[in-house]
Amino acid sequence: MLPGQPPTFRQPSAAERPWWWRLEDAAGQEVEVAGHSDQRFATQGDAESWVGEIWADLAEHGVAAVTLFEHDRQVYGPMSLSA
């Protein structure tokens, strides 16, 4: 790589992926789940698709509900993960 050249593969910034889920336990407290808590998405649809695919795994790790955010704005939630 040449000096001053940006890396080919870089992590997207929060501005490029503003959508994220806060994972919550039954008491409404935030829960950290390795590999899932730091997920960010480019669109609301991407975020909703992801949680639709992974909700059962999140529930197994003690997540009772999720809340969707765009940057710092709460969009909706908490939404229960109970089947």
Side-chain angles (χ1 to χ4, degrees), residues 10-83:
R10 65 171 177 74
Q11 290 292 88
S13 69
E16 295 170 311
R17 294 188 177 243
W19 297 90
W20 60 280
W21 293 99
R22 182 176 61 211
L23 311 179
E24 303 166 1
D25 63 16
Q29 298 299 310
E30 190 167 358
V31 175
E32 294 291 324
V33 178
H36 298 307
S37 297
D38 58 352
Q39 295 293 315
R40 297 189 70 98
F41 307 91
T43 68
Q44 181 175 354
D46 289 345
E48 291 170 337
S49 292
W50 177 82
V51 86
E53 294 170 7
I54 199 84
W55 71 269
D57 189 44
L58 294 173
E60 287 179 11
H61 285 89
V63 177
V66 293
T67 299
L68 182 64
F69 285 84
E70 179 185 24
H71 295 293
D72 293 331
R73 179 180 68 92
Q74 182 175 335
V75 178
Y76 63 80
M79 178 175 67
S80 174
L81 296 185
S82 296

